[in-house]
């Protein structure tokens, strides 16, 4: 029995569903949950089926169907044209080994900070409950007004039930959210921190170069390859054609410059590796140093406040005692 023209597309969709079901995030220009992904893939399948039923080839149907998200179109075209499933799936997933390393670094730094802040809160509650009444008693015996640090510590003591309950509730919410959330923490930060956004841009360029390398290696038209590869990068022209691509410098050189007789697809492979190295340099600082430094800064500040909360009332009391003794 001959294979259905739509079978490659169906295999592609099955692989995408498998990725989503295992919790691996994909970047296909389709927003929403796993259910949303399934609905969108069904809609795309139906639209492509109509075109194939009218006599178009699968590749032509994918290229001409206007409702397809650009990244999905590029990935589906690569799946159909290149017969390299692992490379295509790698290009559409956002959870990679380096992302997991960043995710672990952020998690460790976060929990270290949370534990330290929790210990500071417990220490402050204990100190306020034990020390503040004794300070009040001494000031009462001296018959002088308490200093502002002593008044502050008394306020902390009186409000322990309120803020301790709020802190405990906040911890429970954070733990619940951390366990329930399907979102990769590192992936969430990737879209918000400047250096990491730059890293994502470099990865997009690398994927674009890889796509063009495969496209040219199969002797397909460069203009079509550039149009599809543009889905992986963010730099676009300001013209009326939304699919038009302003090629990043290295890719532009690889497809239009003098490459000394080397196959352009081979040069594009090298360009992709260069962009990946640039992406790696962007993220090394973050997942090795920055989360830890931020945690140290927050914890250090919290411990300093705790120390001041303990020692300032005592120091102020000693000063008041000295002044009272002089008088």
């Amino acid at each position: 029995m001959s294979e259905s023209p739509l079978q490659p597309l169906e295999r592609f969709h099955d692989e995408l569903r498998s990725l989503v079901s295992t919790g691996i995030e994909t970047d296909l220009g389709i927003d929403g949950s796993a259910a949303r992904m399934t609905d969108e893939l069904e809609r795309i399948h139906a639209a492509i089926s109509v075109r194939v039923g009218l006599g178009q080839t699968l590749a032509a149907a994918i290229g001409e169907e206007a409702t397809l998200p650009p990244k999905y179109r590029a990935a589906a075209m690569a799946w159909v044209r290149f017969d390299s499933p692992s490379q295509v799936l790698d290009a559409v997933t956002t959870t990679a080994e380096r992302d997991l390393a960043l995710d672990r670094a952020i998690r460790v730094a976060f929990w270290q900070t949370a534990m330290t802040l929790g210990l500071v809160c417990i220490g402050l509650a204990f100190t306020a409950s034990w020390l503040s009444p004794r300070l009040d008693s001494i000031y009462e015996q001296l018959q002088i007004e308490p200093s502002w640090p002593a008044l502050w510590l008394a306020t902390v003591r009186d409000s322990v039930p309120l803020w301790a309950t709020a802190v405990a509730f906040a911890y429970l919410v954070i733990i619940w959210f951390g366990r329930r959330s399907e979102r990769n923490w590192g992936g969430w930060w990737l879209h918000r921190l400047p250096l990491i956004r730059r890293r994502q841009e470099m990865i997009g360029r690398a994927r674009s170069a890889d796509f063009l390398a495969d496209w040219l290696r199969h002797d397909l038209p460069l203009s079509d390859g550039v149009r599809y590869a543009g889905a992986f990068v963010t730099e676009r022209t300001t013209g009326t054609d939304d699919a038009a691509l302003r090629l990043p410098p290295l890719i532009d050189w690889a497809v239009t410059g003098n490459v000394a007789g080397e196959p352009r697809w081979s040069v594009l492979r090298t360009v992709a590796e260069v962009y990946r190295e640039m992406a790696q340099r962007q993220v090394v600082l973050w997942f090795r140093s920055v989360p830890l430094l931020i945690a140290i800064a927050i914890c250090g500040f919290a411990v300093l406040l705790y120390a001041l909360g303990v020692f300032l009332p005592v120091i102020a009391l000693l000063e008041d005692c000295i002044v009272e003794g002089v008088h």
Side-chain angles (χ1 to χ4, degrees):
M1 181 180 294
S2 60
E3 182 181 271
S4 165
L6 290 171
Q7 198 158 347
L9 184 73
E10 292 165 356
R11 285 198 296 267
F12 180 46
H13 286 186
D14 288 341
E15 292 292 342
L16 293 177
R17 292 189 188 97
S18 297
L19 290 176
V20 173
S21 67
T22 55
I24 298 176
E25 295 184 6
T26 60
D27 183 12
L28 288 165
I30 300 174
D31 298 326
S33 61
R36 168 66 176 161
M37 168 74 78
T38 299
D39 292 342
E40 187 67 7
L41 292 180
E42 289 177 356
R43 182 196 67 77
I44 290 171
H45 185 275
I48 298 297
S49 297
V50 171
R51 287 183 171 273
V52 172
L54 294 174
Q56 283 188 311
T57 64
L58 180 57
I62 293 171
E64 296 179 17
E65 176 55 45
T67 63
L68 301 185
K71 284 190 178 180
Y72 171 89
R73 187 197 312 280
M77 189 65 73
W79 183 278
V80 171
R81 291 282 198 182
F82 307 152
D83 192 26
S84 53
S86 60
Q87 183 176 327
V88 175
L89 295 176
D90 178 68
V92 301
T93 56
T94 59
T95 305
E97 182 179 353
R98 293 166 185 169
D99 295 331
L100 294 176
L102 175 64
D103 184 56
R104 284 193 295 270
I106 292 176
R107 283 178 180 270
V108 169
F110 174 81
W111 289 118
Q112 287 176 340
T113 304
M115 290 178 63
T116 302
L117 293 178
L119 291 174
V120 167
C121 289
I122 293 172
L124 186 59
F126 175 79
T127 300
S129 300
W130 179 84
L131 181 60
S132 182
R134 286 161 175 77
L135 292 176
D136 290 345
S137 176
I138 294 173
Y139 276 110
E140 185 176 350
Q141 292 175 16
L142 294 175
Q143 296 183 345
I144 59 176
E145 287 294 323
S147 63
W148 71 262
L151 293 174
W152 176 84
L153 196 61
T155 302
V156 172
R157 177 198 64 200
D158 296 338
S159 60
V160 164
L162 179 62
W163 61 259
T165 301
V167 169
F169 179 75
Y171 268 71
L172 291 175
V173 169
I174 291 171
I175 292 171
W176 178 84
F177 178 79
R179 291 183 176 275
R180 295 274 298 179
S181 175
E182 297 179 356
R183 183 181 292 276
N184 171 331
W185 289 20
W188 188 85
W189 282 101
L190 287 175
H191 302 287
R192 289 158 177 83
L193 300 177
L195 284 179
I196 298 194
R197 286 203 304 268
R198 177 69 173 168
R199 180 251 185 164
Q200 287 299 92
E201 183 181 338
M202 293 298 104
I203 289 178
R205 293 182 181 188
R207 289 173 174 173
S208 178
D210 275 332
F211 183 95
L212 277 175
D214 278 329
W215 192 265
L216 295 181
R217 189 165 62 87
H218 288 79
D219 296 323
L220 297 170
L222 174 62
S223 58
D224 290 341
V226 169
R227 180 165 65 93
Y228 298 135
F232 294 109
V233 295
T234 58
E235 296 172 309
R236 298 183 181 276
T237 62
T238 56
T240 57
D241 185 3
D242 291 336
L245 170 71
R246 183 175 68 245
L247 291 173
L250 286 179
I251 299 180
D252 181 61
W253 166 77
V255 298
T256 62
N258 181 5
V259 294
E262 287 290 321
R264 293 194 184 276
W265 65 266
S266 178
V267 176
L268 283 164
R269 289 276 191 239
T270 303
V271 167
E273 288 304 313
V274 170
Y275 278 129
R276 286 193 175 90
E277 287 298 321
M278 294 171 68
Q280 173 66 357
R281 286 198 297 271
Q282 295 291 329
V283 80
V284 161
L285 177 63
W286 282 103
F287 77 74
R288 286 187 180 175
S289 304
V290 172
L292 180 60
L293 292 175
I294 292 175
I296 291 173
I298 294 174
C299 293
F301 183 70
V303 172
L304 175 62
L305 290 180
Y306 170 72
L308 292 176
V310 173
F311 289 111
L312 283 181
V314 175
I315 293 171
L317 174 62
L318 293 175
E319 291 177 346
D320 290 339
C321 288
I322 293 172
V323 171
E324 188 66 18
V326 172
H327 292 314

